[in-house]
Amino acid sequence: MPIQEEATVVVPSEDPVKSKKEEEKEKEKLADGKDDNKGEGEELSEEDLQLRNELEMLVERLREPDHSLYKPALETMRGLIRTSTSSMTSVPKPLKFLRPYYPELQELYEKFAGSVEDKGLFADILSVLSMTYSTPLAGHTTLTYRLDSPHPSPPGDWGHEYVLHLASELGAEYSARADKGDSPSSPEMQKLSELAEECAKWFLGHNAEADAVDLLAECECIGKLADLVDTVNYARVGRYMVSCVSLLIPPDDIAFLRTAHDIYLRQSRLPEAIALAIRLNDPTLIRADFNTPANPHMRQQLAFIIARSQIPLVWLAENPEEAATDDVLTSLPEDLVSCLSNINLSTHFKAFGKELGVTDPRSLEDIYKSHLEPSSARSVPAQGVDSARQNLAGTFVNAFVNVGFGNDKMIAEVEEGQSWIYKNKDHGMMSAAASLGVSMLWDTEVGLGQIDKYTYSEEEYIKAGAFMAMGILHTSVRTEIDAPIALLTEQIENKSVPLRTGAIVGLGFAYASTHRSDVLAILLPLVAEETLTMSLAALAALSLGFVFVGSCNGEIAGTILQTMMEREPTQLTDKWSRFMALGLALLYLGRQEAADATIETLRAIEHPLAKQAQILVDICAYAGTSNVLKVQQMLHYCTDHITKEDKKDEPAEAPAEGSAGQANEEKKDDDDTFQAFAVLGIGLVAMGEDVGAEMSLRTFNHLMHYGEPIIRRAVPLALGLLSTSNPQLPLLDILSKYSHDSDLDVAANSIFAMGLIGAGTNNARLAQMLRQLAGYYGKEPDCLFVTRVAQGLVNAGKGTVTLNPFFQDRGMMSLPAVAGILTTLIAFIDAKSFILDKSHWMLYYLIPAMYPRFLITLDEELKPLPITVRVGQAVDVVGQAGKPRTISGFQTYQTPVRLATTERAELATEEYIPFASVLEGLVILEKNPGWEDEKMDI
């Protein structure tokens, strides 16, 4: 049989006959006046048919050679389009009927022979019609025709949709021209800017503030916004702009802050304005804002905000570089001085504690609750754990729990010789004596007398601890006596290392963020002195970093860089050298590009310390900015090192796991340390914004899985930094898992991070986790010590203080607080060399971050005024229509009240008007003059 050949039949995807039939039907529909967009066979209404015929007639008139017909035809067409676009639920009929004639109208426009005025009107109509016909290939036709018109009508006359469409093309066109290199001052760019301003004005008048801000930002003229806002929309514009800052890169973020500041200032919203001036770190703006109000009570409220943010008081002088703090304070009225100096902070805090019923001192057993631990664990400490180490842990727990109340039964209110200090050995006595400063925190009147008696002790460790306590006592507080500098200066030259250490650290605590030149003169020679041990030089640099935090002080930076270049490489390899690098980094905290020159200088230094310093300066400069590029850069440091070490994986892992302290591996560990700083950097940069913080969790998960031991050690600390004093369940679960890690360094750091996340919250779930860990690590003295410290932190201030560096509704960042937390975390990266060795006193670096988490309302004489407030979870209302609720799930309390990190308060009635924009900390109220009348009407 012959083989049949296969035949190939080509079948088109669409039926050609059917398509021809459809075309014929379409023609019939059009001929019969049926609407192609309506249901099959449905005819146009009489009105629509009349409108379509009228529009066709108008187009026909534009084809005529008689010029006198053009103007009436165009005006009629404009009228028909405008009446239809005023309310837009679907494509307007005139635009729909004119769409088939668009190409023809374009040709008529090109050949148009009428007057200039008529041509402008024609261009206006084509600009609107382009909305229905614009394609990517067609270009920005709406904008092009708009710009062609010599006297275009206001954009809003054509409706909301037209303005939106025009704004989108306007932004794209401006960006395209800027990319080509067009100058902003060129006539074309100026024309675009003017049109953007016109559209923005319309947006602001029609509740589309976000669109206005976005358009002006795209056209690089955000500064013009301050002239366009009014009393109705300034609040919504300001909120939106401030919320955008964390999503922008420099210099746009600074431009947004400055514009928002101008808007608030013009509307006389001084609390909001000074908050943004402090965020900008601009002494001139802060001074101008502080001196603006005529109302003395408003100035007092601004003084409370300045005191909370701990900015240098010299910034309030005309010449901050030449002025001294004392000169500033003497030139101001007494009531303002007391507000700026935080003198009454201790009084308010103790009254707050009394109101909450937590003034009675807590014992260690109240915190540990050993009876709740597993019975097998309770008997372990007596057998396997060093009692001195447990006493030392008790020192920190007692200090943190009873912070600021000054009445604990172990150190403050005991007879001479019976003090807990004497239950510690050597260096333990130093931490125990320093804890007196924590217990007496902010209460300089009583505290000085209590601490003074220990400065005459024969035991040098107790004396050193007393000097440190002197500094801790004055944290966040300025006094007329100025005791720390008077008492500690002479000890700087003492031959005893512990005494010098106590004095240097004490000065750093007492004058954090004051920019005091007299402290600079005392400490700077220690940094430059080559014969001094690295530990003292590094601590002097760190204290200078605290005193001049965020100042970009060139003299200190130059001295530290010079020291790094001139010291012997063996000295720079010392474990303390990282704190010299941190001292340099703190000078640039939050200053972004200002650190670039220092980073370039560090690149020229070959020693591994320079790379650590480079990363520290970089992450501090962008702390809390949520800058994505910096996070990527830090991740690159983490992966980059792994790539290099791939070939020698095995020898690299062995020493890092077990014998990190061995001399022959010391250099290797120092080379590794920069990675740990990079991990902390991710947390430090991302902590300012919720979305960035959430995204970084996934990154940390990957680093924990695939990172080397030094990276894994730093990940829990970075998690603690992300959510300080804000216990979130997902984070607690992650850290609980890491706290049982086979690497005890990771476990210890995880436990400390748990304490940091729950600091001052009394979180019951976290307390239960830590009790279980105390039983689990009963035979591991290091982990048990850290667990006890974490228990103390969770109960810090008996639930009345916070360590979170953000305040004013999480809109402002306290630089000394960030510096203190970061210093403690860097000590924990190599905990066995610092916290778990003889430098456990470094835990006190958390104290500059401690602040009461209260809301106390005051009357106009600054006396407590109990009123009713609602406290609930803060709700983000940026961009929401109307007046939405700013809190949810609220409860009603009488002030003073305690506020958690994510909570917000609002007044329950309108009886009083607050001077502050955010109800947090100390708030002054004035009586609402219209309240009585309203009450009578009701």
Side-chain angles (χ1 to χ4, degrees):
M1 253 180 97
I3 299 169
Q4 290 183 352
E5 292 182 12
E6 290 184 6
T8 306
V9 180
V10 179
V11 181
S13 59
E14 293 182 3
D15 183 358
V17 180
K18 188 178 177 184
S19 62
K20 281 179 186 173
K21 285 179 183 174
E22 283 179 355
E23 280 177 22
E24 286 171 10
K25 278 185 183 178
E26 293 291 329
K27 285 177 185 174
E28 284 173 18
K29 275 187 203 174
L30 288 171
D32 297 340
K34 292 176 182 176
D35 186 0
D36 56 334
N37 279 346
K38 296 199 175 206
E40 190 69 36
E42 191 178 334
E43 294 185 5
L44 287 175
S45 65
E46 281 185 28
E47 286 178 6
D48 288 353
L49 198 56
Q50 187 183 345
L51 176 63
R52 196 183 73 176
N53 292 336
E54 191 177 348
L55 288 167
E56 283 175 359
M57 182 192 70
L58 292 171
V59 173
E60 189 62 42
R61 281 191 185 169
L62 292 174
R63 296 180 189 137
E64 298 288 337
D66 186 357
H67 295 182
S68 61
L69 297 173
Y70 295 166
K71 189 170 184 180
L74 290 168
E75 283 180 346
T76 310
M77 201 180 284
R78 178 175 65 180
L80 290 170
I81 294 171
R82 277 190 183 171
T83 51
S84 68
T85 50
S86 58
S87 168
M88 184 167 292
T89 52
S90 61
V91 179
K93 292 279 171 40
L95 296 185
K96 190 171 165 186
F97 296 146
L98 282 172
R99 191 172 185 275
Y101 300 101
Y102 179 70
E104 188 184 347
L105 287 170
Q106 279 184 307
E107 288 175 22
L108 287 171
Y109 177 76
E110 296 301 325
K111 300 171 186 174
F112 194 75
S115 66
V116 175
E117 190 183 338
D118 292 351
K119 189 166 184 178
L121 183 53
F122 199 172
D124 256 9
I125 291 167
L126 277 175
S127 177
V128 180
L129 197 50
S130 298
M131 283 197 301
T132 63
Y133 210 86
S134 60
T135 61
L137 296 173
H140 303 137
T141 47
T142 302
L143 177 62
T144 308
Y145 286 120
R146 171 84 194 176
L147 294 173
D148 274 359
S149 177
H151 304 293
S153 50
D157 289 359
W158 299 104
H160 187 238
E161 193 64 31
Y162 174 72
V163 185
L164 276 176
H165 195 86
L166 185 63
S168 67
E169 288 195 3
L170 193 53
E173 180 68 18
Y174 192 96
S175 302
R177 284 176 183 258
D179 291 343
K180 286 178 188 172
D182 286 12
S183 167
S185 56
S186 66
E188 292 83 4
M189 297 291 261
Q190 285 295 322
K191 217 171 180 184
L192 292 177
S193 296
E194 286 165 14
L195 183 54
E197 199 175 331
E198 207 176 338
C199 291
K201 191 182 277 187
W202 191 88
F203 280 136
L204 289 169
H206 292 77
N207 301 321
E209 294 86 359
D211 293 323
V213 174
D214 293 345
L215 176 59
L216 291 178
E218 273 190 288
C219 295
E220 296 175 6
C221 49
I222 195 70
K224 293 180 179 177
L225 193 59
D227 300 322
L228 303 177
V229 296
D230 54 29
T231 50
V232 177
N233 54 33
Y234 80 90
R236 285 167 58 82
V237 172
R239 272 201 305 269
Y240 180 71
M241 290 187 76
V242 172
S243 70
C244 286
V245 169
S246 57
L247 307 172
L248 298 168
I249 58 169
D252 293 346
D253 54 350
I254 303 297
F256 263 58
L257 283 175
R258 286 194 180 280
T259 306
H261 173 270
D262 290 348
I263 289 169
Y264 284 130
L265 196 59
R266 291 187 190 194
Q267 302 296 332
S268 300
R269 298 298 303 171
L270 292 166
E272 290 101 324
I274 204 165
L276 295 179
I278 293 169
R279 271 186 79 168
L280 284 162
N281 235 352
D282 189 325
T284 312
L285 284 181
I286 293 168
R287 183 170 62 254
D289 292 348
F290 181 66
N291 293 326
T292 297
N295 187 328
H297 305 305
M298 178 56 87
R299 284 195 85 186
Q300 288 169 341
Q301 186 64 65
L302 298 184
F304 282 136
I305 295 172
I306 288 172
R308 172 66 182 97
S309 59
Q310 291 173 263
I311 61 165
L313 299 185
V314 290
W315 283 3
L316 301 178
E318 287 299 324
N319 297 312
E321 287 86 15
E322 299 168 16
T325 307
D326 293 341
D327 301 337
V328 176
L329 294 177
T330 49
S331 66
L332 292 169
E334 269 187 45
D335 58 337
L336 277 183
V337 171
S338 68
C339 297
L340 286 167
S341 306
N342 262 342
I343 292 169
N344 297 319
L345 182 60
S346 178
T347 312
H348 288 306
F349 180 64
K350 286 177 179 175
F352 172 57
K354 190 175 181 182
E355 193 71 29
L356 295 182
V358 294
T359 44
D360 294 339
R362 295 257 181 100
S363 67
L364 296 182
E365 186 49 40
D366 291 339
I367 306 304
Y368 296 162
K369 296 184 178 170
S370 305
H371 62 283
L372 296 176
E373 290 175 11
S375 55
S376 57
R378 267 178 267 158
S379 57
V380 172
Q383 304 165 11
V385 175
D386 180 10
S387 61
R389 176 59 68 90
Q390 287 309 294
N391 286 355
L392 184 61
T395 300
F396 290 108
V397 172
N398 176 63
F400 290 144
V401 170
N402 297 300
V403 63
F405 290 104
N407 61 354
D408 67 275
K409 300 297 184 190
M410 289 167 64
I411 291 177
E413 294 191 352
V414 287
E415 296 174 17
E416 188 67 45
Q418 297 296 311
S419 172
W420 181 263
I421 294 172
Y422 301 106
K423 292 189 179 181
N424 291 276
K425 294 178 185 174
D426 302 334
H427 49 82
M429 288 180 164
M430 188 169 173
S431 285
S435 74
L436 184 57
V438 182
S439 183
M440 294 286 176
L441 192 61
W442 309 311
D443 189 357
T444 50
E445 290 180 15
V446 179
L448 272 176
Q450 289 266 26
I451 293 166
D452 189 55
K453 60 187 178 188
Y454 289 108
T455 60
Y456 302 106
S457 172
E458 292 177 8
E459 182 64 57
E460 69 173 14
Y461 281 110
I462 294 178
K463 281 177 79 172
F467 295 147
M468 203 179 287
M470 192 83 67
I472 292 170
L473 176 71
H474 288 80
T475 303
S476 311
V477 179
R478 316 272 182 268
T479 58
E480 280 183 47
I481 306 167
D482 213 13
I485 201 163
L487 297 168
L488 301 180
T489 306
E490 59 191 38
Q491 301 300 330
I492 294 290
E493 300 302 322
N494 199 305
K495 289 180 181 176
S496 162
V497 173
L499 292 181
R500 291 179 90 171
T501 301
I504 290 168
V505 173
L507 284 173
F509 279 130
Y511 299 107
S513 191
T514 57
H515 296 194
R516 291 273 293 259
S517 53
D518 45 357
V519 178
L520 171 69
I522 296 164
L523 294 176
L524 198 58
L526 299 179
V527 180
E529 194 179 321
E530 289 188 33
T531 55
L532 203 63
T533 62
M534 194 63 191
S535 65
L536 290 175
L539 286 171
L542 183 59
S543 287
L544 282 170
F546 269 83
V547 175
F548 288 86
V549 65
S551 68
C552 300
N553 187 296
E555 190 181 350
I556 301 170
T559 306
I560 294 175
L561 288 168
Q562 193 69 24
T563 306
M564 285 184 180
M565 291 175 187
E566 291 176 358
R567 285 244 181 184
E568 293 291 322
T570 50
Q571 290 179 311
L572 293 178
T573 315
D574 188 276
K575 66 179 184 179
W576 286 97
S577 61
R578 68 189 69 191
F579 291 106
M580 182 174 279
L582 180 60
L584 174 65
L586 292 180
L587 297 174
Y588 298 99
L589 190 59
R591 298 310 298 271
Q592 301 194 17
E593 293 107 327
D596 289 351
T598 303
I599 291 170
E600 288 305 317
T601 311
L602 286 164
R603 286 200 174 111
I605 304 173
E606 291 181 4
H607 194 278
L609 176 63
K611 187 161 191 179
Q612 296 173 27
Q614 187 185 319
I615 290 173
L616 283 172
V617 171
D618 215 3
I619 64 175
C620 283
Y622 289 88
T625 59
S626 204
N627 188 303
V628 179
L629 300 176
K630 286 298 158 195
V631 173
Q632 289 174 348
Q633 195 177 332
M634 293 306 122
L635 282 169
H636 177 69
Y637 282 123
C638 296
T639 53
D640 186 41
H641 181 70
I642 295 165
T643 311
K644 286 180 185 174
E645 294 297 319
D646 267 346
K647 292 178 186 175
K648 35 183 180 176
D649 239 357
E650 291 176 18
E653 279 180 22
E657 293 257 336
S659 53
Q662 291 179 9
N664 61 343
E665 290 297 336
E666 196 172 332
K667 191 172 186 305
K668 163 75 176 72
D669 277 346
D670 280 347
D671 290 345
D672 268 1
T673 310
F674 76 88
Q675 284 194 302
F677 296 162
V679 175
L680 278 184
I682 296 170
L684 189 65
V685 172
M687 70 178 178
E689 192 247 337
D690 292 337
V691 177
E694 202 171 320
M695 287 170 67
S696 61
L697 292 181
R698 188 175 176 190
T699 303
F700 289 136
N701 190 27
H702 288 312
L703 290 174
M704 204 66 184
H705 275 289
Y706 308 114
E708 293 198 18
I710 188 82
I711 292 176
R712 297 183 78 247
R713 249 177 271 164
V715 167
L717 300 174
L719 289 170
L721 187 59
L722 273 182
S723 189
T724 310
S725 291
N726 181 20
Q728 301 174 49
L729 288 180
L731 273 182
L732 291 182
D733 290 340
I734 292 167
L735 288 171
S736 178
K737 184 175 75 176
Y738 294 161
S739 65
H740 295 81
D741 198 272
S742 56
D743 183 345
L744 290 181
D745 289 336
V746 174
N749 288 358
S750 302
I751 295 166
F752 178 71
M754 289 166 81
L756 204 56
I757 281 177
T761 61
N762 282 351
N763 189 286
R765 178 171 178 158
L766 191 48
Q768 173 63 21
M769 285 180 179
L770 291 170
R771 276 196 297 275
Q772 288 172 347
L773 285 166
Y776 184 78
Y777 286 115
K779 292 183 180 177
E780 290 289 347
D782 288 349
C783 289
L784 184 58
F785 171 78
V786 177
T787 306
R788 295 305 188 199
V789 169
Q791 285 179 300
L793 279 174
V794 170
N795 292 277
K798 289 165 275 194
T800 56
V801 298
T802 181
L803 285 179
N804 196 296
F806 291 93
F807 60 101
Q808 278 289 101
D809 212 3
R810 301 193 69 206
M812 294 166 70
M813 184 174 79
S814 166
L815 298 186
V818 175
I821 294 169
L822 187 60
T823 305
T824 314
L825 295 182
I826 283 176
F828 261 99
I829 282 172
D830 191 2
K832 284 180 179 168
S833 302
F834 296 103
I835 306 289
L836 301 176
D837 192 36
K838 297 181 180 179
S839 306
H840 30 72
W841 49 264
M842 295 196 85
L843 281 166
Y844 292 131
Y845 274 112
L846 291 173
I847 300 302
M850 276 194 185
Y851 211 85
R853 56 186 188 100
F854 55 38
L855 163 62
I856 295 179
T857 45
L858 308 172
D859 62 18
E860 294 176 64
E861 294 175 3
L862 302 187
K863 291 177 181 170
L865 174 67
I867 60 156
T868 311
V869 293
R870 290 192 285 261
V871 177
Q873 286 296 309
V875 178
D876 185 10
V877 295
V878 174
Q880 289 188 16
K883 291 185 178 178
R885 288 262 180 210
T886 55
I887 58 174
S888 69
F890 61 83
Q891 289 182 300
T892 307
Y893 299 100
Q894 190 93 349
T895 57
V897 294
R898 172 168 28 190
L899 292 177
T901 305
T902 56
E903 284 181 339
R904 189 182 283 160
E906 58 181 36
L907 298 182
T909 65
E910 293 180 9
E911 185 178 356
Y912 290 94
I913 300 169
F915 282 98
S917 56
V918 177
L919 297 189
E920 196 175 295
L922 297 165
V923 176
I924 304 171
L925 304 174
E926 68 174 347
K927 189 84 173 172
N928 185 349
W931 172 252
E932 292 296 330
D933 299 338
E934 288 174 22
K935 207 170 179 184
M936 286 170 68
D937 291 344
I938 289 165

